[in-house]
Structure formats: C-alpha cells, structure tokens
Short mmCIF file of all heavy atoms in Angstrom, two decimals:
data_model
loop_
_atom_site.label_atom_id
_atom_site.label_comp_id
_atom_site.label_asym_id
_atom_site.label_seq_id
_atom_site.Cartn_x
_atom_site.Cartn_y
_atom_site.Cartn_z
N ASP A 1 0.86 -1.19 0.00
CA ASP A 1 0.01 0.00 0.00
C ASP A 1 0.89 1.22 -0.01
O ASP A 1 1.66 1.43 0.93
CB ASP A 1 -0.97 -0.01 1.19
CG ASP A 1 -0.26 -0.22 2.53
OD1 ASP A 1 0.85 -0.79 2.54
OD2 ASP A 1 -0.84 0.16 3.57
N TRP A 2 0.80 1.99 -1.06
CA TRP A 2 1.68 3.15 -1.27
C TRP A 2 0.86 4.43 -1.10
O TRP A 2 -0.25 4.54 -1.64
CB TRP A 2 2.30 3.12 -2.65
CG TRP A 2 3.19 1.93 -2.90
CD1 TRP A 2 3.56 0.95 -2.03
CD2 TRP A 2 3.82 1.61 -4.15
NE1 TRP A 2 4.38 0.04 -2.63
CE2 TRP A 2 4.57 0.41 -3.93
CE3 TRP A 2 3.83 2.20 -5.41
CZ2 TRP A 2 5.30 -0.20 -4.96
CZ3 TRP A 2 4.58 1.60 -6.42
CH2 TRP A 2 5.31 0.41 -6.19
N VAL A 3 1.42 5.38 -0.40
CA VAL A 3 0.72 6.63 -0.13
C VAL A 3 1.41 7.77 -0.86
O VAL A 3 2.56 8.09 -0.56
CB VAL A 3 0.64 6.92 1.39
CG1 VAL A 3 -0.12 8.21 1.64
CG2 VAL A 3 -0.01 5.76 2.13
N PHE A 4 0.73 8.36 -1.83
CA PHE A 4 1.23 9.51 -2.58
C PHE A 4 0.07 10.48 -2.82
O PHE A 4 -1.07 10.05 -3.00
CB PHE A 4 1.78 9.10 -3.95
CG PHE A 4 2.97 8.21 -3.94
CD1 PHE A 4 2.87 6.90 -4.36
CD2 PHE A 4 4.21 8.69 -3.53
CE1 PHE A 4 3.98 6.07 -4.38
CE2 PHE A 4 5.32 7.87 -3.54
CZ PHE A 4 5.21 6.55 -3.97
N PRO A 5 0.35 11.77 -2.88
CA PRO A 5 -0.69 12.70 -3.30
C PRO A 5 -0.87 12.66 -4.81
O PRO A 5 0.00 12.18 -5.54
CB PRO A 5 -0.13 14.07 -2.86
CG PRO A 5 1.36 13.89 -2.90
CD PRO A 5 1.61 12.44 -2.51
N LEU A 6 -2.00 13.15 -5.27
CA LEU A 6 -2.20 13.34 -6.70
C LEU A 6 -1.15 14.32 -7.23
O LEU A 6 -0.60 15.14 -6.49
CB LEU A 6 -3.59 13.89 -6.98
CG LEU A 6 -4.76 12.94 -6.75
CD1 LEU A 6 -6.06 13.73 -6.73
CD2 LEU A 6 -4.79 11.86 -7.81
N CYS A 7 -0.89 14.24 -8.50
CA CYS A 7 0.08 15.15 -9.11
C CYS A 7 -0.43 16.58 -9.00
O CYS A 7 -1.58 16.88 -9.32
CB CYS A 7 0.26 14.76 -10.59
SG CYS A 7 1.47 15.78 -11.43
N GLY A 8 0.44 17.44 -8.49
CA GLY A 8 0.04 18.84 -8.31
C GLY A 8 1.24 19.75 -8.23
O GLY A 8 2.37 19.33 -8.46
N GLY A 9 1.01 21.00 -7.90
CA GLY A 9 2.09 21.95 -7.74
C GLY A 9 2.85 22.19 -9.03
O GLY A 9 2.30 22.12 -10.13
N ALA A 10 4.15 22.42 -8.90
CA ALA A 10 4.98 22.72 -10.06
C ALA A 10 5.09 21.54 -11.00
O ALA A 10 5.36 21.71 -12.20
CB ALA A 10 6.38 23.14 -9.59
N GLU A 11 4.88 20.34 -10.48
CA GLU A 11 4.99 19.14 -11.33
C GLU A 11 3.82 19.03 -12.31
O GLU A 11 3.97 18.45 -13.38
CB GLU A 11 5.05 17.90 -10.44
CG GLU A 11 5.28 16.60 -11.21
CD GLU A 11 5.25 15.39 -10.30
OE1 GLU A 11 5.72 15.50 -9.15
OE2 GLU A 11 4.76 14.33 -10.73
N ARG A 12 2.66 19.55 -11.94
CA ARG A 12 1.49 19.45 -12.79
C ARG A 12 1.63 20.35 -14.02
O ARG A 12 1.75 21.58 -13.90
CB ARG A 12 0.25 19.83 -12.00
CG ARG A 12 -1.01 20.05 -12.81
CD ARG A 12 -1.51 18.79 -13.49
NE ARG A 12 -2.23 17.92 -12.60
CZ ARG A 12 -2.93 16.86 -12.98
NH1 ARG A 12 -2.98 16.54 -14.28
NH2 ARG A 12 -3.53 16.09 -12.11
N LEU A 13 1.66 19.76 -15.20
CA LEU A 13 1.78 20.53 -16.43
C LEU A 13 0.46 21.22 -16.75
O LEU A 13 -0.61 20.61 -16.62
CB LEU A 13 2.19 19.61 -17.58
CG LEU A 13 3.51 18.85 -17.43
CD1 LEU A 13 3.82 18.08 -18.68
CD2 LEU A 13 4.65 19.81 -17.10
N LYS A 14 0.55 22.47 -17.18
CA LYS A 14 -0.65 23.23 -17.47
C LYS A 14 -0.56 23.88 -18.85
O LYS A 14 0.52 24.15 -19.36
CB LYS A 14 -0.89 24.29 -16.41
CG LYS A 14 -1.22 23.70 -15.04
CD LYS A 14 -1.59 24.77 -14.03
CE LYS A 14 -1.97 24.14 -12.70
NZ LYS A 14 -2.36 25.17 -11.70
N ARG A 15 -1.71 24.11 -19.42
CA ARG A 15 -1.82 24.82 -20.70
C ARG A 15 -2.96 25.82 -20.56
O ARG A 15 -4.09 25.44 -20.22
CB ARG A 15 -2.10 23.83 -21.82
CG ARG A 15 -2.25 24.49 -23.19
CD ARG A 15 -2.65 23.47 -24.25
NE ARG A 15 -1.50 22.62 -24.59
CZ ARG A 15 -1.60 21.34 -24.90
NH1 ARG A 15 -2.78 20.75 -24.86
NH2 ARG A 15 -0.52 20.65 -25.23
N ASP A 16 -2.67 27.09 -20.79
CA ASP A 16 -3.65 28.16 -20.64
C ASP A 16 -4.27 28.16 -19.24
O ASP A 16 -5.47 28.39 -19.06
CB ASP A 16 -4.75 28.03 -21.69
CG ASP A 16 -4.22 28.13 -23.11
OD1 ASP A 16 -3.24 28.87 -23.30
OD2 ASP A 16 -4.77 27.46 -24.00
N GLY A 17 -3.44 27.85 -18.23
CA GLY A 17 -3.90 27.89 -16.85
C GLY A 17 -4.67 26.67 -16.41
O GLY A 17 -5.07 26.58 -15.24
N LYS A 18 -4.90 25.71 -17.30
CA LYS A 18 -5.64 24.50 -16.95
C LYS A 18 -4.75 23.28 -17.05
O LYS A 18 -3.72 23.31 -17.72
CB LYS A 18 -6.86 24.34 -17.88
CG LYS A 18 -7.85 25.47 -17.80
CD LYS A 18 -9.04 25.22 -18.74
CE LYS A 18 -10.05 26.36 -18.63
NZ LYS A 18 -11.21 26.14 -19.57
N LYS A 19 -5.15 22.21 -16.41
CA LYS A 19 -4.37 20.97 -16.46
C LYS A 19 -4.18 20.55 -17.92
O LYS A 19 -5.16 20.44 -18.67
CB LYS A 19 -5.08 19.85 -15.68
CG LYS A 19 -5.12 20.05 -14.19
CD LYS A 19 -5.70 18.83 -13.47
CE LYS A 19 -7.16 18.61 -13.79
NZ LYS A 19 -7.75 17.54 -12.94
N ALA A 20 -2.94 20.28 -18.29
CA ALA A 20 -2.66 19.88 -19.67
C ALA A 20 -3.17 18.47 -19.93
O ALA A 20 -3.55 18.15 -21.06
CB ALA A 20 -1.16 19.96 -19.95
N HIS A 21 -3.14 17.63 -18.92
CA HIS A 21 -3.60 16.25 -19.06
C HIS A 21 -4.42 15.91 -17.81
O HIS A 21 -3.98 16.16 -16.69
CB HIS A 21 -2.42 15.28 -19.20
CG HIS A 21 -2.80 13.93 -19.68
ND1 HIS A 21 -3.54 13.04 -18.92
CD2 HIS A 21 -2.54 13.29 -20.85
CE1 HIS A 21 -3.72 11.93 -19.61
NE2 HIS A 21 -3.13 12.05 -20.78
N PRO A 22 -5.59 15.35 -17.98
CA PRO A 22 -6.46 15.14 -16.82
C PRO A 22 -5.98 14.07 -15.85
O PRO A 22 -6.41 14.07 -14.69
CB PRO A 22 -7.80 14.71 -17.45
CG PRO A 22 -7.43 14.12 -18.76
CD PRO A 22 -6.26 14.91 -19.23
N THR A 23 -5.10 13.17 -16.28
CA THR A 23 -4.72 12.05 -15.42
C THR A 23 -3.21 11.92 -15.29
O THR A 23 -2.69 10.81 -15.19
CB THR A 23 -5.33 10.73 -15.91
OG1 THR A 23 -4.76 10.42 -17.20
CG2 THR A 23 -6.83 10.81 -16.02
N GLN A 24 -2.49 13.03 -15.29
CA GLN A 24 -1.04 12.99 -15.13
C GLN A 24 -0.68 12.32 -13.81
O GLN A 24 -1.17 12.70 -12.76
CB GLN A 24 -0.46 14.40 -15.18
CG GLN A 24 1.06 14.46 -15.06
CD GLN A 24 1.57 15.90 -15.08
OE1 GLN A 24 0.93 16.80 -15.61
NE2 GLN A 24 2.74 16.11 -14.49
N LYS A 25 0.20 11.32 -13.86
CA LYS A 25 0.57 10.58 -12.65
C LYS A 25 1.76 11.27 -11.96
O LYS A 25 2.61 11.89 -12.63
CB LYS A 25 0.95 9.14 -13.00
CG LYS A 25 -0.22 8.31 -13.52
CD LYS A 25 -1.33 8.22 -12.50
CE LYS A 25 -2.49 7.33 -12.96
NZ LYS A 25 -3.32 7.97 -13.99
N PRO A 26 1.85 11.18 -10.65
CA PRO A 26 2.98 11.80 -9.94
C PRO A 26 4.28 11.08 -10.26
O PRO A 26 4.33 9.84 -10.38
CB PRO A 26 2.59 11.62 -8.47
CG PRO A 26 1.66 10.47 -8.44
CD PRO A 26 0.90 10.52 -9.73
N GLU A 27 5.35 11.83 -10.38
CA GLU A 27 6.66 11.24 -10.68
C GLU A 27 7.11 10.30 -9.55
O GLU A 27 7.83 9.33 -9.79
CB GLU A 27 7.69 12.33 -10.92
CG GLU A 27 7.47 13.09 -12.22
CD GLU A 27 8.63 14.00 -12.58
OE1 GLU A 27 9.67 13.96 -11.89
OE2 GLU A 27 8.50 14.75 -13.56
N ALA A 28 6.66 10.56 -8.32
CA ALA A 28 7.04 9.71 -7.20
C ALA A 28 6.59 8.27 -7.43
O ALA A 28 7.29 7.32 -7.07
CB ALA A 28 6.44 10.24 -5.90
N LEU A 29 5.43 8.11 -8.04
CA LEU A 29 4.91 6.76 -8.31
C LEU A 29 5.80 6.02 -9.30
O LEU A 29 6.16 4.85 -9.08
CB LEU A 29 3.48 6.87 -8.87
CG LEU A 29 2.74 5.56 -9.10
CD1 LEU A 29 2.39 4.91 -7.78
CD2 LEU A 29 1.45 5.83 -9.91
N LEU A 30 6.19 6.68 -10.36
CA LEU A 30 7.06 6.05 -11.37
C LEU A 30 8.47 5.85 -10.82
O LEU A 30 9.14 4.87 -11.17
CB LEU A 30 7.08 6.89 -12.65
CG LEU A 30 6.01 6.57 -13.69
CD1 LEU A 30 6.16 5.12 -14.20
CD2 LEU A 30 4.62 6.77 -13.16
N HIS A 31 8.93 6.75 -9.98
CA HIS A 31 10.26 6.59 -9.37
C HIS A 31 10.30 5.28 -8.60
O HIS A 31 11.26 4.50 -8.73
CB HIS A 31 10.53 7.77 -8.43
CG HIS A 31 11.87 7.71 -7.76
ND1 HIS A 31 12.95 8.46 -8.15
CD2 HIS A 31 12.32 6.97 -6.69
CE1 HIS A 31 13.99 8.20 -7.39
NE2 HIS A 31 13.62 7.30 -6.48
N ARG A 32 9.29 5.02 -7.81
CA ARG A 32 9.28 3.78 -7.02
C ARG A 32 9.19 2.54 -7.91
O ARG A 32 9.89 1.55 -7.67
CB ARG A 32 8.13 3.80 -6.01
CG ARG A 32 8.15 2.60 -5.08
CD ARG A 32 7.14 2.72 -3.94
NE ARG A 32 7.46 3.84 -3.05
CZ ARG A 32 6.76 4.14 -1.96
NH1 ARG A 32 5.69 3.41 -1.63
NH2 ARG A 32 7.11 5.15 -1.19
N ILE A 33 8.38 2.59 -8.92
CA ILE A 33 8.22 1.44 -9.81
C ILE A 33 9.53 1.11 -10.52
O ILE A 33 9.96 -0.03 -10.55
CB ILE A 33 7.10 1.73 -10.83
CG1 ILE A 33 5.73 1.70 -10.12
CG2 ILE A 33 7.13 0.71 -11.96
CD1 ILE A 33 4.59 2.18 -10.98
N LEU A 34 10.16 2.13 -11.12
CA LEU A 34 11.38 1.89 -11.88
C LEU A 34 12.54 1.51 -10.98
O LEU A 34 13.38 0.69 -11.33
CB LEU A 34 11.74 3.11 -12.73
CG LEU A 34 10.70 3.51 -13.80
CD1 LEU A 34 11.29 4.59 -14.71
CD2 LEU A 34 10.24 2.33 -14.59
#
C-alpha cells in the first residue's frame, strides 16, 4: 500500500492555466516502480 498525493504543484503541467492532461501521474509513483 503506497501513499502519494495526486500530481500537483509545479509538477502538474498546465496549458492556458488549466491541467494539460487530466490524469497525469505523480513522478514519485514512477520513481518507485522503476
């Protein structure tokens, strides 16, 4: 059971002030997997 927040802050890519992708995953999740 892994505890991470949703992708947000500076990591969340945006376009015109809105989320660029609705389901961008946090880098912390991929860091652990790889």
Side-chain angles (χ1 to χ4, degrees):
D1 52 337
W2 298 355
V3 181
F4 295 111
L6 290 167
C7 182
E11 185 183 325
R12 168 65 80 170
L13 300 184
K14 293 186 178 181
R15 179 185 287 145
D16 299 327
K18 298 181 180 180
K19 291 186 294 187
H21 195 292
T23 65
Q24 181 182 336
K25 295 299 183 287
E27 290 190 6
L29 185 69
L30 271 298
H31 181 102
R32 185 171 295 182
I33 289 170
L34 298 190

